Amino acid sequence: MRLFTSLLKNANPKIEYYSRFSPSPLSIKQFLDFGRDNACEKTSYVFLRKELPVRLANTMREVNLLPDNLLSQPSVRMVQKWYMQSFVELLGYENRKPEDPHALEDFLELLIEIRNRHNDVVPTMAQGVIEYKEKFGFDPFVSSNIQYFLDRFYTNRISFRMLINQHTLLFGNDTNPAHPKHIGSIDPNCNVAEVVKDAYDTAKMLCEQYYLAAPELKIEEFHMKDPGKPIQAVYVPSHLFHMLFELFKNSMRATVELHEDSKEGLPPVKAKVTLGHEDLSIKISDRGGGVPLRKIDRLFYYMYSTAPTPSLEPSRAVPLAGFGHGLPISRLYARYFQGDLKLYSMEGVGTDAVVYLKALSSESFERLPVFNKSAWRHYKTSAEADDWSNPSKEPRDTSKSNYKAKR
């Protein structure tokens, strides 16, 4: 606690300084061109030693706008401490020239340490929010602010790790020998159908472990520009896998639970991959019974999960399943490079989940949160009354005098 307070006091002016800068969004094409043609470690170092503190400072300023009762939760304080420590360590390179004989090597090692330190940010923050809700209950206004904050906080984290991974993979020794043609974490020729199958196989293995059964996969591709040709994209396979694994996991669970006693067996989960002029789309369709329209939006709330709530015992690892983070974070991965994730459901039948990605890497720019007055106002403005009618449980009795029009 004392160390955290000391770090906070000394770093606060720097946090305020760096938060005045907006993050610099990069496109997949820019990541690719830099890594492929003129990957210069000094250039990357000079860019990251400022850009990483800027991205950290923007989100650290925003954290402080959350309710004090949430900030006081042990898990949230732990996350703040990790961010503060990483920010202070990065400041050590603020004025360190790349010509310093050990600067590049030390910086590389620091980035790996920071990445490892932040590995458990998502489940730890999720646990902090649950701790808060168990103690203080549900407040619609606070819940809306938490939803807004976590979308931005986790997007910032995705971007932070993207920058670190590109640098460490390009200039470190942790290059994956299984993917020698990858440029950092980007595959210039990502076979989308193969990633679909990998995500399905992983989800199938978990489904079979839990339910002793899993639906089969039917996959088809439609290449608008070149029919019959396998669809490839310039993308980050790990991001795509994360999204598809979550969708397959949800589809399989719904399908098995609805049809486990059916004599006809389990209906297959279908995947369709299409490539047009602007969009690369992946649709995952199931016959798992669907979700009522009223509940669709809830599936993207961080505190909503149809799985059992996980244990909060500190001695146990914190699993992501059960925290309600799977779908909302998958949507953030899709939106990170200007795509999206949409759910279309027919209650009683099943659900179609569609991942939209940009077809062109030059249009796939990072979508980054910026701490500014607009963000500040979001936390400070009270929720206004709804300007549409709300249905009541019972119809009004218009025969009563209170409701009669005055003549």
Side-chain angles (χ1 to χ4, degrees):
M1 180 67 71
R2 289 179 181 176
L3 175 62
F4 175 74
T5 305
S6 175
L7 290 175
L8 186 64
K9 182 179 179 181
N10 295 330
N12 264 340
K14 286 292 186 181
I15 293 173
E16 186 174 346
Y17 169 75
Y18 277 100
S19 68
R20 295 173 191 165
F21 298 94
S22 294
S24 303
L26 301 172
S27 69
I28 291 181
K29 186 176 187 301
Q30 286 175 312
F31 278 117
L32 195 67
D33 289 346
F34 175 78
R36 175 187 280 163
D37 300 328
N38 56 347
C40 173
E41 190 171 0
K42 288 183 179 180
T43 303
S44 182
Y45 167 79
V46 171
F47 173 71
L48 291 183
R49 70 177 179 179
K50 180 179 180 181
E51 184 64 18
L52 291 177
V54 165
R55 296 193 185 192
L56 281 180
N58 270 263
T59 203
M60 291 167 78
R61 287 289 302 277
E62 199 160 329
V63 168
N64 292 326
L65 297 177
L66 292 173
D68 290 338
N69 288 334
L70 176 57
L71 293 177
S72 65
Q73 299 310 306
S75 297
V76 177
R77 291 193 65 81
M78 177 66 73
V79 172
Q80 282 188 292
K81 183 179 176 181
W82 290 339
Y83 272 69
M84 180 61 70
Q85 185 175 348
S86 298
F87 182 79
V88 170
E89 288 173 349
L90 286 167
L91 289 182
Y93 294 85
E94 192 176 27
N95 299 310
R96 195 169 170 183
K97 296 182 179 181
E99 289 76 22
D100 182 319
H102 300 291
L104 300 182
E105 182 180 345
D106 293 346
F107 187 70
L108 181 67
E109 291 178 1
L110 173 63
L111 293 188
I112 294 172
E113 287 179 15
I114 290 175
R115 182 179 61 199
N116 294 339
R117 177 184 302 135
H118 289 235
N119 277 342
D120 292 328
V121 161
V122 173
T124 306
M125 179 61 81
Q127 183 169 334
V129 174
I130 288 179
E131 290 166 354
Y132 166 80
K133 293 197 74 172
E134 287 185 341
K135 290 182 181 179
F136 301 101
F138 177 81
D139 179 288
F141 178 60
V142 173
S143 180
S144 172
N145 281 345
I146 290 174
Q147 180 75 19
Y148 176 80
F149 167 76
L150 289 179
D151 268 346
R152 296 162 63 81
F153 179 75
Y154 291 143
T155 299
N156 183 288
R157 179 179 181 271
I158 291 170
S159 78
F160 192 73
R161 293 180 78 83
M162 180 71 190
L163 292 181
I164 288 179
N165 285 338
Q166 284 303 106
H167 187 88
T168 57
L169 286 169
L170 288 173
F171 307 114
N173 297 318
D174 54 351
T175 304
N176 190 344
H179 304 288
K181 294 184 179 180
H182 283 198
I183 308 299
S185 57
I186 299 171
D187 186 352
N189 302 292
C190 178
N191 187 309
V192 179
E194 287 185 5
V195 180
V196 171
K197 291 172 185 174
D198 287 345
Y200 164 80
D201 287 339
T202 306
K204 179 184 178 184
M205 180 179 67
L206 293 179
C207 188
E208 288 177 338
Q209 286 177 356
Y210 192 81
Y211 294 104
L212 304 179
E216 293 300 313
L217 171 68
K218 288 187 177 181
I219 185 170
E220 60 177 318
E221 296 181 77
F222 178 75
H223 197 309
M224 176 181 170
K225 302 174 186 176
D226 195 349
K229 184 179 179 181
I231 294 175
Q232 294 185 329
V234 183
Y235 207 70
V236 184
S238 59
H239 289 190
L240 184 56
F241 179 91
H242 184 108
M243 295 179 253
L244 295 172
F245 170 70
E246 180 65 29
L247 296 178
F248 277 127
K249 192 172 58 171
N250 292 342
S251 289
M252 288 181 181
R253 179 177 165 222
T255 300
V256 173
E257 291 185 354
L258 183 65
H259 297 278
E260 57 185 346
D261 298 325
S262 172
K263 295 179 181 179
E264 299 175 359
L266 300 176
V269 173
K270 298 178 181 180
K272 187 167 189 175
V273 183
T274 67
L275 178 62
H277 292 298
E278 294 188 20
D279 296 336
L280 191 162
S281 310
I282 307 161
K283 182 171 72 173
I284 308 297
S285 305
D286 67 58
R287 294 280 305 280
V291 180
L293 177 63
R294 175 177 58 87
K295 293 185 177 180
I296 283 290
D297 288 342
R298 293 186 199 172
L299 298 178
F300 291 103
Y301 292 168
Y302 288 99
M303 296 314 302
Y304 180 85
S305 176
T306 53
T309 302
S311 169
L312 291 177
E313 294 176 19
S315 60
R316 298 183 60 180
V318 186
L320 201 56
F323 279 110
H325 277 47
L327 273 175
I329 288 184
S330 294
R331 183 168 68 175
L332 295 183
Y333 272 106
R335 290 178 171 179
Y336 174 49
F337 281 122
Q338 305 297 328
D340 210 345
L341 191 162
K342 301 276 191 180
L343 295 183
Y344 306 95
S345 194
M346 296 181 69
E347 187 182 14
V349 182
T351 302
D352 289 350
V354 185
V355 175
Y356 297 99
L357 307 176
K358 289 291 184 183
L360 300 177
S361 61
S362 58
E363 295 181 357
S364 303
F365 275 90
E366 292 180 290
R367 179 175 176 264
L368 303 174
V370 179
F371 178 77
N372 54 22
K373 288 184 179 179
S374 295
W376 183 87
R377 279 195 295 268
H378 186 95
Y379 294 95
K380 300 300 180 182
T381 305
S382 299
E384 297 182 0
D386 196 353
D387 54 359
W388 291 88
S389 60
N390 285 316
S392 58
K393 293 182 180 178
E394 300 292 337
R396 282 180 173 176
D397 185 354
T398 57
S399 65
K400 293 182 178 180
S401 59
N402 288 345
Y403 298 112
K404 285 183 178 180
K406 292 182 180 180
R407 299 179 184 274

